[in-house]
C-alpha cells in the first residue's frame, strides 16, 4: 500500500465551495451563461456536478475577492468552449501579468501540467455573477 492509499484525504473526493450573495442570481447565471443546472439543492445551497466532481454555491454574506482562480474546468477544446460561452454572454478577462498575457481572452502558459506530459496550457478566465474568478484550461501536449 503506497502513501496515497493510506491517506484518508488522498482517497477522498475534492469539492469546491463558491460563495454567492444572491443565490437566485447565481442560479440564473450558471443556467443561462454556463448551461449548468444543479443536481441537488438545499436551503442556502446549490450542488452542481461536472465530469464526476462536485461544486457548490452557498448563500454567503461575504464575497470573494476575485483575485485568484477559485475553480477551473479542464476541457479538450478551449477555443470551442470559449466560443460557446461567449455566445451565451460570458465575458472573458484580459490578463497581463509576468509570464503570460491573454489575447482575445486566451493565454498560452508554458510549463503548466508537466505531470500530464504537457508542455503548457491554454487558459481563459471569467467571473460569475457573484464575482468568483473561474478558469478554463486545456493542456498543450
Amino acid at each position: 500500500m503506497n502513501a496515497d492509499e493510506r491517506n484518508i484525504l488522498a482517497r477522498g473526493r475534492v469539492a469546491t465551495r463558491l460563495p454567492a450573495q444572491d443565490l437566485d442570481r447565481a442560479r440564473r447565471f450558471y443556467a443561462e451563461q454556463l448551461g449548468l443546472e444543479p443536481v441537488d439543492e438545499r436551503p442556502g445551497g446549490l450542488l452542481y456536478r461536472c465530469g464526476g466532481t462536485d461544486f457548490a454555491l452557498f448563500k454567503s454574506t461575504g464575497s470573494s475577492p476575485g483575485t485568484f482562480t477559485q475553480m477551473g474546468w479542464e476541457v479538450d477544446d478551449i477555443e470551442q468552449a470559449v466560443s460557446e460561452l461567449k455566445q451565451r454572454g460570458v465575458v472573458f478577462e484580459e490578463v497581463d501579468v509576468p509570464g503570460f498575457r491573454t489575447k482575445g481572452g486566451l493565454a498560452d502558459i508554458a510549463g503548466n501540467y508537466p505531470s500530464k506530459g504537457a508542455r503548457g496550457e491554454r487558459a481563459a478566465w471569467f467571473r460569475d455573477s457573484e464575482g468568483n474568478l473561474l478558469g478554463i484550461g486545456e493542456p498543450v501536449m
Side-chain angles (χ1 to χ4, degrees):
M1 184 179 283
N2 68 34
D4 281 348
E5 292 169 338
R6 289 190 301 266
N7 184 313
I8 194 165
L9 293 179
R11 293 191 321 263
R13 292 181 57 209
V14 174
T16 299
R17 306 289 187 250
L18 298 171
Q21 292 182 318
D22 185 328
L23 212 49
D24 290 330
R25 177 179 62 203
R27 178 198 293 266
R28 283 190 308 275
F29 175 87
Y30 280 79
E32 295 168 9
Q33 267 71 43
L34 305 185
L36 300 173
E37 295 292 339
V39 296
D40 196 9
E41 58 185 282
R42 61 174 173 73
L46 301 170
L47 181 68
Y48 293 84
R49 187 161 293 134
C50 298
T53 60
D54 297 340
F55 73 92
L57 296 173
F58 67 94
K59 177 98 173 112
S60 175
T61 57
S63 62
S64 165
T67 57
F68 55 88
T69 306
Q70 294 166 259
M71 182 177 74
W73 286 267
E74 184 178 310
V75 297
D76 294 329
D77 186 339
I78 194 166
E79 289 184 14
Q80 178 184 356
V82 167
S83 175
E84 288 178 13
L85 290 172
K86 281 182 176 179
Q87 289 175 12
R88 290 175 170 264
V90 173
V91 176
F92 285 85
E93 299 284 306
E94 291 298 332
V95 179
D96 187 356
V97 297
F100 67 90
R101 179 184 326 179
T102 56
K103 184 175 182 182
L106 286 167
D108 293 304
I109 308 168
N112 276 13
Y113 294 126
S115 62
K116 295 183 179 188
R119 58 183 166 81
E121 173 188 23
R122 298 204 71 210
W125 296 267
F126 63 93
R127 294 180 192 283
D128 71 6
S129 61
E130 308 309 296
N132 297 305
L133 186 60
L134 308 175
I136 302 173
E138 175 188 355
V140 177
M141 305 311 237

